[in-house]
């Protein structure tokens, strides 16, 4: 009874995730699909062809988008790993206040932050540049990184780092050989979250990039608004696939690193001892 | 094998003094214990030696070299923690190899040494397993092997036996004593268990509330503790009331003693203590009509209030007037509750302390 109930729930959940994707898939190859008909009347590849034809704006913007999101991910991790460690492990005056301030971008709308920071960016000459877009993308993702790494460090503590130092590892060695592998699950989840959030930014890119930094969502939104369903669906499809690939890519990359740094010695000792 | 010297170490946490003016010297190749209840500052002392915690005052020397401002990784003081702290993402072999890898020892030498070390601690078959796949005792061995492989100047063991059951604990204890004797590594063991300290160490330092109360050989601490607290820590003890009367003799609740030998220096504020096993009980009448009292000469009459049989020993609570003392005898003992017995103790077994 309970089992079949959970199975039904599972099916409903998967369908609610998969059906919209199926719709997008359908629409991306549908030329016309008048209302009462169950199946599309005419199929075509105009949408996908427009995106993938060599030298298309879509491909260019896709590359720009990926480049921006990769930098945002790396920079944000570089900021939030030490930040999370400080908040998770050490006691210092003003810690409670900093914990709240750091989460502020979650409460205050990024739109307000973007508007506020716009003037400063103009003065610094960061508007209409990719660097400016990268910097502004970091704002909304900081809280996620900080939150995840604070929790992770609270959980793992610094006992293993202490042990590493005692055995003769310097600070950098300790970080590479002990801290990094220990917090790897956090890096994977924070990294993929940051990438996706940055990759789907529309407003902040538009505001700071001013239209001269063309990211994928910037091209996609007008199609959705104008009602060209085929184009909109094709863009959405590419968007989803890239985001999924990025997730898988980040995970694979880090796992590979992870096993390289611990697995080889393990394999050796297994072989030799048996 | 280096000597370790701590000089006037002080450490404050939140304005509270956790280590008070600690001075300690450990000779080359010696194994000592820091013994005390939890929270007395023993583990903090280890961390200060290793440089994980900085002392607020005082100096540390290892092999004559000052450790001031020397980072942990350059001190060569290796702590083996109570909770093992094996790196979960590395195999047993890689865990042991870690210290050598950090020192950039060539791979071929590393592998050879790890194999030797695995053999040394009896874990040849476990090298490829992950820490989650081995038992508690094996983890302990890995933690020790991982520390030994870097050839530490001083080995610091933080409560290494407290997570183990009795049988394993005894096994690990002799394992560590064995290793220490073989390799002659200067070792400091931190424990709250007097037995661990007595069995393993050539010297013991007793710590209470961040203060080193007494530092000496196990025999000294057991037979001549300098305070009631230290005496209590090494086992049950009876406090014997006494008074000095004009005749120069010391009149105690268990007999009258000449004021010489051990008691020569007895001052009125001192306490007189007696361990349970130093109390001799004998029957009022041994059946032949001669009371033993006349042979011993110096004893008092008491009444057995309670008898507890504990296997190899039997404990007796004996009331002498209003004083209740605890004595123990080997075996099951010849007296029953309610019986009258003579209580006597040799002068040599009396303990005088401040």
């Amino acid at each position: 009874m309970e089992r079949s109930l959970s199975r039904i729930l599972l099916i409903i959940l998967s369908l609610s995730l998969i059906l919209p994707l199926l719709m997008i898939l359908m629409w991306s190859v549908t030329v016309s699909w008048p209302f009462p008909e169950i199946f599309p009347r005419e199929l075509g590849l105009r949408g996908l062809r427009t995106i993938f034809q060599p030298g298309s704006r879509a491909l260019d913007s896709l590359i720009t988008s990926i480049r921006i999101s990769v930098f945002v991910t790396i920079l944000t991790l570089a900021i939030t790993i030490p930040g999370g460690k400080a908040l998770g492990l050490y006691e210092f005056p003003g810690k409670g206040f900093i914990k709240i301030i750091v989460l502020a971008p979650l409460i205050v709308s990024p739109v307000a932050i973007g508007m506020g920071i716009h003037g400063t960016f103009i003065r610094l000459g960061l508007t209409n540049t990719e660097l400016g877009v990268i910097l502004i993308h970091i704002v909304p993702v900081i809280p996620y990184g900080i939150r995840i790494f604070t929790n992770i460090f609270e959980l793992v503590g610094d006992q293993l780092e202490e042990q590493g130092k005692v055995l003769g590892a310097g600070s950098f060695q300790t970080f590479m050989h002990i801290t990094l592998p220990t917090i790897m699950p956090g890096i994977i989840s924070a990294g993929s979250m940051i990438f996706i959030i940055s990759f789907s930014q529309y407003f902040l890119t538009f505001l700071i990039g001013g239209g001269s930094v063309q990211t994928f969502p910037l091209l996609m939104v007008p199609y959705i608004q104008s009602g060209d369903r085929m184009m909109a669906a094709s863009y959405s499809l590419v968007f989803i696939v890239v985001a999924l690939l990025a997730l898988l890519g980040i995970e694979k990359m880090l796992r590979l690193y992870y096993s390289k740094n611990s697995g080889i010695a393990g394999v050796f000792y297994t072989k030799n001892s048996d | 094998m280096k000597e370790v010297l701590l000089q006037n170490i002080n450490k404050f946490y939140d304005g509270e003094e956790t280590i008070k003016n600690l001075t300690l010297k450990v000779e080359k190749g010696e194994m000592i214990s820091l013994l005390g209840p939890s929270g007395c500052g023993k583990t903090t002392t280890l961390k200060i030696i290793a440089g994980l915690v900085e002392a607020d005052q005082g100096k540390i020397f290892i092999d004559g070299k000052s450790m001031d401002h020397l980072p942990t990784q350059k001190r060569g003081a290796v702590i083996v923690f109570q909770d093992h702290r094996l790196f979960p993402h590395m195999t047993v072999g890689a865990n042991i190899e870690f210290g050598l890898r950090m020192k950039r020892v060539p791979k071929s030498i590393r592998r050879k040494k790890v194999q030797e070390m695995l053999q040394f601690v009896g874990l040849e078959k476990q090298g490829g397993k992950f820490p989650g796949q081995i038992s508690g005792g094996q983890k302990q061995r890995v933690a020790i092997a991982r520390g030994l492989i870097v050839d530490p100047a001083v080995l610091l063991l933080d409560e290494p036996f407290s997570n183990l059951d009795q049988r394993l604990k005894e096994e690990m204890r002799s394992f560590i004593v064995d290793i220490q004797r073989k390799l002659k590594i200067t070792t400091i063991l931190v424990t709250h268990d007097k037995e661990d300290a007595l069995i393993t160490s050539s010297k013991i330092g007793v710590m209470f509330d961040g203060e080193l109360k007494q530092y000496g050989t196990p025999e000294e601490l057991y037979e001549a503790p300098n305070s009631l607290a230290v005496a209590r820590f090494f086992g049950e003890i009876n406090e014997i009331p006494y008074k000095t009367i004009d005749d120069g003799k010391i009149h105690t609740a268990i007999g009258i003693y000449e004021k010489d030998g051990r008691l020569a220096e007895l001052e009125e504020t001192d306490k007189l203590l007696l361990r349970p096993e130093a109390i001799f009980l004998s029957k009022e009448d041994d059946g032949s009509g001669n009371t033993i009292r006349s042979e011993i000469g110096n004893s008092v009459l008491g009444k057995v209030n309670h008898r507890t049989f504990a296997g190899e020993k039997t404990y007796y609570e004996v009331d002498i007037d209003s004083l209740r003392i605890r004595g123990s005898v080997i075996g099951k003992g010849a007296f029953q509750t309610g019986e009258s017995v003579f209580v006597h103790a040799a002068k040599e077994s009396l303990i005088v302390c401040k």
Side-chain angles (χ1 to χ4, degrees):
Chain A
M1 179 61 200
E2 226 170 81
R3 212 147 164 222
S4 58
L5 195 73
S6 67
R7 191 168 293 164
I8 290 168
L9 269 174
L10 192 70
I11 290 169
I12 292 175
L13 250 155
S14 336
L15 282 181
S16 63
L17 285 174
I18 291 167
L19 280 180
L21 291 180
L22 274 179
M23 285 309 291
I24 288 174
L25 193 63
M26 288 297 290
W27 271 110
S28 68
V29 290
T30 298
V31 176
S32 77
W33 193 351
F35 162 62
E37 291 178 27
I38 297 174
F39 296 105
R41 188 179 289 169
E42 201 187 338
L43 297 177
L45 286 173
R46 178 177 60 93
L48 291 171
R49 207 177 284 140
T50 317
I51 294 175
F52 286 109
Q53 81 194 29
S56 78
R57 278 172 69 209
L59 276 185
D60 280 352
S61 71
L62 190 59
I63 290 162
T64 309
S65 259
I66 292 173
R67 188 170 55 231
I68 289 176
S69 298
V70 165
F71 275 114
V72 169
T73 308
I74 292 170
L75 286 174
T76 310
L77 288 177
I79 296 168
T80 54
I81 290 176
K85 188 177 178 191
L87 287 174
L89 289 183
Y90 308 130
E91 290 303 323
F92 50 88
K95 179 172 165 178
F97 180 68
I98 290 175
K99 262 187 167 171
I100 293 172
I101 280 293
V102 148
L103 296 183
L106 280 185
I107 308 156
V108 184
S109 141
V111 178
I113 296 169
M115 301 293 271
I117 226 167
H118 195 207
T120 315
F121 270 39
I122 290 173
R123 242 171 288 136
L124 294 173
L126 285 169
T127 45
N128 302 340
T129 64
E130 219 172 284
L131 179 63
V133 172
I134 289 172
L135 290 178
I136 199 70
H137 276 194
I138 291 177
V139 173
V141 291
I142 286 269
Y144 298 100
I146 291 280
R147 192 78 227 147
I148 288 172
F149 289 116
T150 305
N151 287 348
I152 290 258
F153 277 108
E154 273 170 2
L155 201 75
V156 301
D158 59 354
Q159 285 95 327
L160 290 180
E161 293 185 0
E162 278 187 350
Q163 183 69 68
K165 281 191 183 153
V166 157
L167 291 168
S171 299
F172 184 68
Q173 284 178 319
T174 308
F175 181 76
M176 291 307 284
H177 294 285
I178 295 166
T179 317
L180 215 51
T182 319
I183 62 169
M184 196 51 74
I187 294 180
I188 291 172
S189 54
S192 36
M193 203 185 253
I194 291 164
F195 185 91
I196 297 296
I197 293 175
S198 162
F199 193 68
S200 17
Q201 270 311 321
Y202 174 76
F203 178 78
L204 289 176
T205 315
F206 185 58
L207 186 76
I208 300 296
S212 44
V213 180
Q214 295 260 346
T215 62
F216 201 69
L218 233 54
L219 288 187
M220 187 170 97
V221 171
Y223 284 114
I224 298 173
Q225 281 169 340
S226 70
D228 186 339
R229 279 205 170 165
M230 189 183 200
M231 284 307 290
S234 303
Y235 268 90
S236 303
L237 192 66
V238 173
F239 185 87
I240 291 165
V241 168
V242 169
L244 270 176
L245 285 180
L247 277 186
L248 288 174
I250 288 178
E251 170 138 13
K252 263 269 154 4
M253 226 169 60
L254 294 177
R255 292 259 178 245
L256 196 74
Y257 165 84
Y258 188 59
S259 61
K260 237 189 201 157
N261 269 272
S262 55
I264 287 176
V267 170
F268 170 78
Y269 294 117
T270 323
K271 246 198 321 214
N272 229 27
S273 54
D274 285 342
Chain B
M1 268 203 267
K2 311 278 166 66
E3 64 157 32
V4 178
L5 178 63
L6 305 186
Q7 262 177 0
N8 308 95
I9 300 289
N10 281 284
K11 176 72 198 169
F12 299 86
Y13 270 122
D14 299 328
E16 223 172 292
E17 205 167 18
T18 41
I19 307 277
K20 293 173 198 160
N21 207 21
L22 176 70
T23 297
L24 183 74
K25 189 177 178 182
V26 186
E27 303 288 344
K28 274 179 207 199
E30 189 182 32
M31 178 159 181
I32 72 131
S33 287
L34 288 179
L35 177 67
S38 49
C40 73
K42 304 163 296 188
T43 302
T44 308
T45 307
L46 288 196
K47 287 191 172 184
I48 287 175
I49 297 172
L52 290 174
V53 170
E54 211 174 320
D56 293 316
Q57 283 156 23
K59 285 190 170 301
I60 301 158
F61 298 91
I62 296 179
D63 199 26
K65 274 186 303 222
S66 168
M67 293 290 121
D68 277 1
H69 308 297
L70 200 64
T72 302
Q73 64 267 25
K74 295 195 177 143
R75 293 193 181 193
V78 170
I79 307 185
V80 175
F81 287 100
Q82 179 178 6
D83 45 358
H84 318 316
R85 301 197 184 176
L86 300 184
F87 305 127
H89 57 286
M90 296 181 196
T91 59
V92 165
N95 260 286
I96 295 175
E97 186 190 11
F98 184 81
L100 297 180
R101 219 164 110 216
M102 294 304 109
K103 280 189 187 161
R104 305 189 197 287
V105 174
K107 206 177 232 176
S108 51
I109 299 178
R110 257 161 35 198
R111 293 192 166 169
K112 204 173 135 262
K113 283 201 167 177
V114 171
Q115 285 305 332
E116 284 169 11
M117 195 47 81
L118 281 168
Q119 214 145 28
F120 185 65
V121 297
L123 293 171
E124 302 94 319
K125 296 237 153 61
Q126 319 295 336
K129 288 189 181 161
F130 280 90
Q133 299 168 313
I134 57 175
S135 70
Q138 290 173 329
K139 281 184 195 161
Q140 183 99 58
R141 284 164 187 261
V142 176
I144 291 167
R146 184 176 64 175
L148 288 175
I149 205 164
V150 299
D151 195 16
V154 51
L155 187 65
L156 308 168
L157 302 171
D158 179 25
E159 300 270 10
F161 314 117
S162 65
N163 282 340
L164 308 172
D165 63 49
Q166 190 60 30
R167 195 184 53 83
L168 210 53
K169 178 179 168 142
E170 279 164 23
E171 194 187 306
M172 281 312 295
R173 216 155 46 191
S174 49
F175 173 71
I176 285 178
V177 171
D178 239 36
I179 284 180
Q180 203 274 334
R181 278 195 196 133
K182 254 187 228 161
L183 304 179
K184 293 247 176 302
I185 293 182
T186 311
T187 307
I188 301 178
L189 173 89
V190 151
T191 177
H192 63 271
D193 185 335
K194 61 173 196 300
E195 214 180 281
D196 291 347
L198 287 169
I199 290 177
T200 57
S201 309
S202 59
K203 272 188 193 152
I204 299 172
V206 181
M207 280 181 86
F208 290 116
D209 302 324
E211 216 175 327
L212 187 67
K213 294 285 184 190
Q214 193 175 358
Y215 184 48
T217 63
E219 288 83 358
E220 274 167 18
L221 285 165
Y222 193 79
E223 290 170 357
N226 63 6
S227 67
L228 186 60
V230 172
R232 282 237 166 89
F233 208 83
F234 281 93
E236 255 187 287
I237 198 130
N238 297 294
E239 212 182 320
I240 309 290
Y242 69 95
K243 43 185 186 259
T244 323
I245 303 179
D246 299 338
D247 62 0
K249 288 184 180 171
I250 295 158
H251 296 252
T252 76
I254 54 160
I256 300 158
Y257 297 93
E258 295 287 342
K259 191 173 162 73
D260 58 7
R262 267 198 114 128
L263 302 180
E265 309 268 289
L266 187 73
E267 283 172 39
E268 253 176 80
T269 51
D270 292 347
K271 290 187 176 75
L272 210 51
L273 308 174
L274 193 59
R275 296 247 176 239
E277 70 269 18
I279 287 169
F280 289 96
L281 302 176
S282 54
K283 274 197 181 161
E284 200 174 2
D285 191 327
D286 68 354
S288 61
N290 301 319
T291 57
I292 292 174
R293 177 178 202 172
S294 57
E295 286 166 27
I296 303 285
N298 194 7
S299 61
V300 293
L301 193 60
K303 195 172 180 193
V304 176
N305 173 273
H306 194 76
R307 168 181 179 270
T308 312
F309 177 62
E312 52 183 22
K313 271 184 185 178
T314 303
Y315 293 94
Y316 283 103
E317 272 179 21
V318 181
D319 289 339
I320 304 165
D321 297 328
S322 62
L323 176 72
R324 177 166 295 173
I325 60 168
R326 269 171 80 82
S328 67
V329 296
I330 304 284
K332 59 183 178 171
F335 319 107
Q336 296 307 319
T337 308
E339 243 180 296
S340 289
V341 287
F342 281 108
V343 178
H344 36 102
K347 191 200 237 167
E348 295 72 47
S349 59
L350 284 167
I351 299 168
V352 178
C353 78
K354 299 276 169 241

